[in-house]
Amino acid sequence: MLATRSTKCPVAFVGAASALVVLITAVHVFMVPILPSSDYFGARGSISRPRNAIPGAGVVDSRLRGQFPSDPHGAVVFRGAPWKAEIGRWLAGCRANSSSVNVTEAIGSKRCGKGCSGRGVCNYNLGECRCFHGYSGKGCEEVLKLECNLPSSPEWPAGRWIVSMCAAHCDTTRAMCFCGPGTKYPDRPVAEACGFKTILPAKPDGPKLTDWKTPDLENVFTTNRSKLGWCNVAPEDAYSSKVKYKEECDCKYDGLWGQFCETRVECSCINQCSGHGHCRGGFCQCDSGYFGIDCSIPSARSLAYDLPSWLQPPVNLPYLKILNSTYINVNAIVQKKRPLIYVYDLPAEFDSHLLEGRHFKFQCVNRIYDDRNRTLWTQQLYGAQMALYESILASPHRTLNGDEADYFYVPVLDSCLITRSDDAPHLLMPRNLRLRSYHALEYYRKAYDHIAQQYPYWNRTSGRDHIWFFSWDEGACYAPREIWNSMMLVHWGNTNTKHKNSTTAYWADNWDHIPLDRRGNHPCFDPRKDLVLPAWKVPDPGAIWLKLWARPRINRTTLFYFNGNLGPAYEGGRPEDTYSMGIRQKLAAEFGSTPNKQGNLGRQHAADVTVTYLRTEKYYEELASSVFCGVLPGDGWSGRMEDSMLQGCIPVIIQDGIFLPYENMLNYNSFAVRLQEDDIPNLISTLRGINETQVEFMLGNVRQMWQRFFYRDSILLEAQRQKRLFSEEAPWSVEVSKLPDDDDVFATFIQVLHYKLYNDPWRQGLLQTKETGLPNICSRAS
């Protein structure tokens, strides 16, 4: 598993007067189902290898085959995981990530205009400001006016409904609604329904509705002592029931806690600003001399006062102070391990602003903070985007020198954009095609325009060494055509070999009608170049302490288990026939163990088969009591593969032409079952036909590799931050810290990138002549 950041032991020394040469030792070692479509792999043999290039898998594989033979399932095991033979053989034989290389890191010193006016952070490499939300200009000198409301009309006094809609005081730097001047608590939010009249239900058990056409100024602003308005209620009086208040009001904005938002708490920022700044609503306000979305990048100026963790004494501090006064760039030679990843410091509209301006604290983040600044992990499946981003930024695989990089990561936070799309006037969906999917496409295209125009790296390779993360329900289906050469990270590996159109049941995410001149004619996923990553799952301390993934076969008494929305035939089911592409509905019709609306069970229901829509607090326990667990789509991807692996249950995948996490890299024969959608009626008979030896073998593999579906690295980064604040560890921190050092999602991601760096036909022609750190057998022909 990954070493924690505190285990680094760097050594530094001073070089010539114009450059600082530092040597660092980094210790962060990362060290029969069928595939949905095997045709994608047929092209490997037809691509010729350029002269003088490092040999690909075919050359190296022939030398290592005798040393690392594949098992009867066609896998070669590397660090506990069964990989496809040629991949596992290369990773094992080439000792991936075991050797370091010298890398020159450039530490910039370019100043920014007006010091960014105290309203932003200077990028000392570019000499450009990243302005806080609501400010712009080269020196962040311009104050924007971002309205909360759309234009008003007689029918809609505050404009038609939108999330930011405000009947009180609008903070136009963030398009957020507050009580404002003249009230007892001017900084208290008046979010959404709080500011408008409530329509009582017509029936006793009916729901309350909000009258968005009628502001409720009385219940917001009144100073009557018997019924104070929301903006004037003292928390202690309300908690003691001395006064009444409007119950529809809530504390939705990040950085505030308590029913009345009376406690200011830590906001959610990327890596919580790395100890070199503070989080202001989602945007890191960095300490002097540091910059980047998480304040992790030093400048020549910061070296005079502070040193990052990878650049420690002995360093000639008086010399650095002189250097700082003249603003000379610093070059540091450090030891790192390939693959080296350069992370673009994009304009804030693509990441920080989306975090800083969100109207609901849980949106698109994997954690928030309670009234004691303790970490609360969220259930946001899209939190994987934040977790991976943090791990890359904090990793020794990251380089600040694009000329040294093997890969380029473009951090557009589409999970934030889509959840916020249409939530404020300045974030409205495009007028010509009002779809969230099209809104996201336009954001990705703008990011492409920025990096193609401002940096030299894209045009060198037509983007084939660039990486983009599409976290939403159908992945990269709506990726703009300009970036399709790049590697896409997704949770939805739909090759479109069977399901050729948008599969979502939500109209705003449908991508079928996006013009081809914008989207291009590409599938959602191409296994030759792309990768499916696991979704975010909360670190549950109870499940970890009980070691549910390790529960033995004898204690798994349920043959097959699936718990989830089963469609319109069941109470509370999604009404759309298109939901789950009809797959969950077919499963329930055959094996439903809970009666549907007509009181019927599935045609083949059985005592040891659970297919139910009933929610349970014992979900993890029930998964861990099962041998096989269903992995079916929801509205696009779902988190059922991760649920199965984390509780030690053998995944049964029913979604044709759709790749699951790492499925184009790992040997799924060794730990999963894939069933065709048309064979759903034969599901149980198929599972009963698998002998106990094979069942034990697959359970053993799941037990060995479950952490590869868990974002342990990002969780440990947070654990270290919390340990610096509190003497008593939270239960999740204690249990995750005690886990064995097995490879997690990030370690697996790095291993995949390392293999692709030297063996991926998609990258042929990009193989550089730089130092590799690999054994001779892997780095040149003998």
Side-chain angles (χ1 to χ4, degrees):
M1 185 55 205
L2 316 175
T4 59
R5 305 296 186 243
S6 60
T7 59
K8 297 178 186 174
C9 301
V11 178
F13 60 90
V14 177
S18 62
L20 178 68
V21 181
V22 182
L23 181 64
I24 298 174
T25 302
V27 187
H28 190 101
V29 180
F30 295 90
M31 285 275 322
V32 199
I34 60 170
L35 287 176
S37 174
S38 60
D39 294 341
Y40 282 94
F41 300 98
R44 291 194 175 192
S46 63
I47 300 177
S48 59
R49 180 168 54 84
R51 293 181 62 186
N52 302 322
I54 297 171
V59 176
V60 176
D61 188 68
S62 63
R63 303 178 197 160
L64 299 175
R65 192 172 294 119
Q67 187 178 356
F68 300 100
S70 58
D71 65 20
H73 299 274
V76 171
V77 175
F78 172 69
R79 295 184 61 84
W83 299 77
K84 292 182 181 299
E86 69 276 13
I87 299 172
R89 196 170 284 133
W90 188 88
L91 291 172
C94 297
R95 301 195 298 277
N97 299 350
S98 62
S99 300
S100 298
V101 297
N102 290 327
V103 178
T104 300
E105 299 287 13
I107 301 175
S109 62
K110 294 182 181 177
R111 308 187 197 193
C112 286
K114 301 181 180 180
C116 300
S117 307
R119 298 167 173 171
V121 175
C122 179
N123 181 319
Y124 290 92
N125 287 339
L126 302 176
E128 297 177 358
C129 291
R130 281 176 59 110
C131 301
F132 301 146
H133 204 297
Y135 302 96
S136 68
K138 290 186 177 181
C140 302
E141 68 279 3
E142 300 175 22
V143 181
L144 302 178
K145 191 173 183 180
L146 305 176
E147 297 290 351
C148 295
N149 298 339
L150 293 172
S152 62
S153 67
E155 183 181 11
W156 293 89
R160 66 174 175 83
W161 178 85
I162 197 168
V163 174
S164 62
M165 193 175 186
C166 182
H169 171 74
C170 179
D171 176 352
T172 55
T173 63
R174 292 183 289 169
M176 288 184 174
C177 191
F178 296 90
C179 290
T183 62
K184 187 174 182 179
Y185 300 98
D187 295 330
R188 184 175 288 173
V190 185
E192 291 194 89
C194 179
F196 294 86
K197 289 283 187 181
T198 299
I199 303 173
L200 297 177
K203 298 179 180 179
D205 58 346
K208 290 183 179 181
L209 301 175
T210 301
D211 182 0
W212 299 107
K213 298 180 180 180
T214 310
D216 187 11
L217 303 183
E218 176 185 356
N219 283 310
V220 172
F221 295 119
T222 183
T223 57
N224 187 311
R225 290 186 178 182
S226 62
K227 187 179 181 181
L228 290 171
W230 167 255
C231 292
N232 297 299
V233 174
E236 57 272 18
D237 291 341
Y239 288 140
S240 61
S241 301
K242 289 182 179 179
V243 296
K244 295 181 180 180
Y245 61 92
K246 187 171 183 179
E247 295 180 355
E248 283 72 25
C249 294
D250 197 4
C251 194
K252 294 187 174 182
Y253 297 164
D254 197 9
L256 299 169
W257 198 263
Q259 176 64 42
F260 298 90
C261 314
E262 66 270 22
T263 304
R264 292 193 176 275
V265 300
E266 182 82 358
C267 299
S268 300
C269 274
I270 302 296
N271 277 327
Q272 296 310 118
C273 309
S274 306
H276 296 298
H278 74 274
C279 183
R280 61 183 309 277
F283 194 120
C284 279
Q285 185 167 356
C286 301
D287 296 339
S288 178
Y290 279 90
F291 64 99
I293 190 172
D294 65 342
C295 303
S296 61
I297 307 177
S299 68
R301 178 181 179 181
S302 69
L303 296 184
Y305 307 100
D306 191 17
L307 300 176
S309 60
W310 51 270
L311 186 63
Q312 291 294 317
V315 173
N316 191 328
L317 293 179
Y319 164 75
L320 287 174
K321 289 182 178 179
I322 295 172
L323 184 67
N324 176 55
S325 66
T326 58
Y327 286 90
I328 301 173
N329 285 345
V330 175
N331 290 326
I333 298 178
V334 301
Q335 284 194 333
K336 294 192 173 183
K337 295 178 180 179
R338 298 200 183 276
L340 297 173
I341 305 172
Y342 180 87
V343 182
Y344 285 105
D345 189 42
L346 294 178
E349 66 178 296
F350 297 106
D351 41 44
S352 295
H353 286 176
L354 294 172
L355 287 168
E356 187 179 4
R358 68 193 195 281
H359 289 85
F360 187 42
K361 65 181 71 176
F362 290 97
Q363 281 178 333
C364 74
V365 296
N366 60 2
R367 64 179 179 274
I368 61 170
Y369 296 90
D370 68 10
D371 57 338
R372 296 185 301 149
N373 282 328
R374 288 283 197 176
T375 308
L376 290 178
W377 298 104
T378 76
Q379 300 286 341
Q380 284 278 327
L381 295 174
Y382 310 107
Q385 193 166 55
M386 184 172 180
L388 183 76
Y389 193 6
E390 291 183 322
S391 288
I392 294 175
L393 290 172
S395 166
H397 291 280
R398 179 191 183 186
T399 179
L400 305 178
N401 187 344
D403 292 327
E404 297 277 4
D406 303 312
Y407 293 96
F408 297 83
Y409 187 70
V410 191
V412 178
L413 295 183
D414 76 316
S415 59
C416 287
L417 174 68
I418 290 180
T419 53
R420 293 196 54 204
S421 189
D422 251 11
D423 80 344
H426 69 282
L427 268 183
L428 293 180
M429 291 187 279
R431 291 183 179 181
N432 56 329
L433 195 61
R434 294 190 56 77
L435 297 172
R436 298 195 307 184
S437 54
Y438 185 50
H439 197 183
L441 179 150
E442 288 296 287
Y443 252 65
Y444 279 101
R445 189 185 59 76
K446 286 170 63 178
Y448 155 76
D449 287 340
H450 174 77
I451 63 175
Q453 294 168 11
Q454 300 295 324
Y455 295 86
Y457 311 121
W458 178 274
N459 292 329
R460 292 177 185 178
T461 64
S462 299
R464 281 185 291 161
D465 50 5
H466 282 55
I467 301 172
W468 309 72
F469 199 153
F470 283 76
S471 70
W472 207 246
D473 294 354
E474 293 186 275
C477 307
Y478 51 83
R481 59 182 176 81
E482 292 90 343
I483 72 171
W484 190 248
N485 265 344
S486 301
M487 180 182 186
M488 306 298 169
L489 304 179
V490 298
H491 300 314
W492 179 244
N494 187 2
T495 61
N496 301 106
T497 51
K498 178 173 182 177
H499 302 286
K500 300 181 183 298
N501 300 315
S502 180
T503 62
T504 181
Y506 184 54
W507 65 269
D509 292 344
N510 191 296
W511 48 268
D512 286 338
H513 301 296
I514 296 177
L516 289 181
D517 66 333
R518 307 301 284 175
R519 176 183 169 271
N521 188 19
H522 61 72
C524 297
F525 178 79
D526 186 339
R528 295 175 300 177
K529 65 182 183 67
D530 302 334
L531 185 68
V532 182
L533 288 179
W536 166 258
K537 288 292 178 177
V538 173
D540 184 273
I544 297 173
W545 181 74
L546 291 171
K547 297 183 178 179
L548 295 183
W549 71 88
R551 182 166 288 177
R553 168 69 179 90
I554 193 172
N555 294 332
R556 295 179 178 270
T557 54
T558 300
L559 176 68
F560 177 83
Y561 182 85
F562 183 81
N563 186 325
N565 197 303
L566 298 177
Y570 292 82
E571 293 293 337
R574 287 285 293 268
E576 309 95 340
D577 291 335
T578 53
Y579 177 68
S580 189
M581 301 177 288
I583 297 173
R584 294 190 186 192
Q585 296 89 314
K586 293 177 184 177
L587 180 76
E590 291 293 336
F591 305 107
S593 57
T594 303
N596 60 19
K597 291 177 181 177
Q598 283 71 44
N600 299 323
L601 298 174
R603 288 184 287 267
Q604 300 184 57
H605 68 274
D608 59 349
V609 174
T610 298
V611 175
T612 182
Y613 69 94
L614 295 176
R615 293 181 178 272
T616 173
E617 294 181 356
K618 297 182 177 180
Y619 178 60
Y620 292 158
E621 172 73 23
E622 292 177 3
L623 286 165
S625 299
S626 306
V627 179
F628 298 99
C629 294
V631 177
L632 288 70
D635 204 12
W637 62 269
S638 73
R640 303 317 170 102
M641 183 70 184
E642 294 79 2
D643 289 341
S644 299
M645 295 297 294
L646 297 186
Q647 317 315 323
C649 189
I650 300 170
V652 178
I653 302 159
I654 310 176
Q655 38 193 309
D656 297 352
I658 298 167
F659 279 66
L660 276 294
Y662 321 123
E663 195 170 355
N664 50 345
M665 307 300 290
L666 296 179
N667 187 301
Y668 263 52
N669 287 326
S670 300
F671 63 94
V673 174
R674 182 176 273 280
L675 191 79
Q676 297 297 303
E677 294 167 20
D678 291 341
D679 287 338
I680 287 177
N682 301 320
L683 168 64
I684 300 305
S685 60
T686 298
L687 298 182
R688 294 195 194 280
I690 301 176
N691 65 58
E692 281 298 314
T693 301
Q694 177 68 1
V695 168
E696 290 283 8
F697 174 77
M698 288 192 286
L699 286 173
N701 276 319
V702 172
R703 190 177 300 125
Q704 286 289 323
M705 59 184 293
W706 72 273
Q707 284 197 59
R708 291 183 183 270
F709 292 76
F710 187 55
Y711 286 86
R712 181 173 183 254
D713 187 67
S714 178
I715 294 167
L716 287 178
L717 286 171
E718 179 69 4
Q720 291 173 33
R721 290 189 285 266
Q722 287 284 297
K723 288 176 183 177
R724 289 192 288 267
L725 297 175
F726 302 100
S727 58
E728 181 183 351
E729 281 191 75
W732 61 265
S733 176
V734 172
E735 297 303 327
V736 173
S737 297
K738 291 192 300 187
L739 287 172
D741 287 340
D742 297 331
D743 295 332
D744 77 332
V745 171
F746 185 62
T748 307
F749 171 66
I750 291 296
Q751 289 160 9
V752 169
L753 292 188
H754 205 190
Y755 172 81
K756 282 178 168 288
L757 180 59
Y758 302 111
N759 302 285
D760 191 349
W762 198 264
R763 292 180 53 89
Q764 290 294 335
L766 305 185
L767 299 176
Q768 59 271 50
T769 58
K770 299 174 183 176
E771 182 184 0
T772 69
L774 296 175
N776 288 342
I777 192 174
C778 301
S779 60
R780 63 175 180 267
S782 57

